[in-house]
Amino acid sequence: MTLTLTVSDEVRSLVPGFTHLVIEAHGLVNAPSSAASSALLDDAARRLAERLDGRAPHEDPHMAAWRAAYTAFGAKPSRTRNSAEALARRALADGGLPRINLLVDAYNAISVAHLVPVGGEDLDRIQGGMSLVRAVGDEPFTTVAAGVETVEHPDAGEIVWRDDAGVTCRRWNWRQGPRTRLTEESVNAIFLLESLAPMTIDALRAAGAELAESLEELSPGARITVRTPE
């Protein structure tokens, strides 16, 4: 059954022009990072450096738009960066991008190469549908601190992704919880690409198409569907 994703009117009103593209994939084969997934990350870092041409990631117009969106719901974008900016900074640092697993490497590479926030969720761990909402403040967010599982709560008014069980990602796309993240046991997933103006729909579609192609190469035989941007 296709997962339902909704964006609340409150979020639409606060941040007009938000668009997201969803890729749904079934029958994936995940595994530890490989030479192929590492090559995707290395190529993404190279493309990022060419795109920025000496600028810092936050100076890119799309990242500037995300900083404005974070400010709109009360976050401090220089302290809690959107996922694409945070990854881009790591890509340009001496340590480079982390290697996590095949699926995470694939979507991180797209995020860096296209400077667009991208997330991946294990479909079998999501409860009900997913919604992008402004938090009340009492929603549970399960995370791990110092190796111990703990439950936090978002700030009231914070934009979060959530399912029926609680928050799956805090501050829009800043921190994903471990409950729904992609592991080496994941076989069914959704990948969410999120954009704001000035990123165009065509640019978002191109990023989605490239991710779908990478997933097909890393998981031959997987059933992959790219949904129309919303």
Side-chain angles (χ1 to χ4, degrees):
M1 184 172 65
T2 298
L3 178 73
T4 300
L5 289 93
T6 59
V7 179
S8 73
D9 290 340
E10 279 189 309
V11 173
R12 296 282 191 197
S13 296
L14 186 69
V15 187
F18 168 64
T19 304
H20 64 281
L21 181 148
V22 177
I23 298 173
E24 188 164 336
H26 296 265
L28 295 164
V29 178
N30 203 4
S33 299
S34 66
S37 68
S38 290
L40 291 175
L41 292 169
D42 289 340
D43 182 62
R46 178 191 59 77
R47 291 163 65 184
L48 173 70
E50 290 179 356
R51 171 179 178 145
L52 292 176
D53 192 25
R55 294 175 298 157
H58 70 267
E59 295 177 290
D60 179 88
H62 193 214
M63 295 299 91
W66 275 104
R67 284 198 165 209
Y70 270 49
T71 300
F73 68 82
K76 295 182 179 179
S78 60
R79 294 178 60 186
T80 55
R81 296 178 176 87
N82 75 80
S83 63
E85 183 182 333
L87 273 176
R89 286 168 59 90
R90 294 190 70 173
L92 297 173
D94 290 340
L97 288 164
R99 271 59 174 167
I100 309 297
N101 58 53
L102 295 182
L103 298 180
V104 175
D105 291 353
Y107 77 70
N108 280 348
I110 295 301
S111 180
V112 168
H114 292 265
L115 268 185
V116 58
V118 184
E121 305 279 357
D122 189 319
L123 271 173
D124 297 320
R125 298 184 180 188
I126 295 170
Q127 298 187 34
M130 290 185 63
S131 302
L132 186 66
V133 300
R134 299 201 73 182
V136 174
D138 61 359
E139 299 90 342
F141 175 71
T142 303
T143 186
V144 176
V148 178
E149 186 174 288
T150 184
V151 176
E152 300 177 351
H153 301 281
D155 299 327
E158 180 181 325
I159 292 180
V160 299
W161 278 103
R162 65 159 301 160
D163 65 2
D164 291 353
V167 173
T168 57
C169 196
R170 284 199 59 188
R171 294 179 190 165
W172 210 319
N173 47 48
W174 167 63
R175 181 195 292 171
Q176 182 187 33
R179 175 170 61 88
T180 59
R181 70 185 174 190
L182 297 175
T183 68
E184 290 174 26
E185 289 72 44
S186 300
V187 294
N188 303 308
I190 62 159
F191 301 88
L192 182 65
L193 292 77
E194 303 180 287
S195 71
L196 299 169
M199 187 174 191
T200 66
I201 295 294
D202 285 346
L204 182 63
R205 285 197 182 104
E210 187 176 339
L211 177 54
E213 182 178 350
S214 293
L215 295 173
E216 289 169 352
E217 291 176 353
L218 293 171
S219 289
R223 303 183 306 280
I224 297 170
T225 302
V226 181
R227 299 193 205 168
T228 302
E230 300 178 14

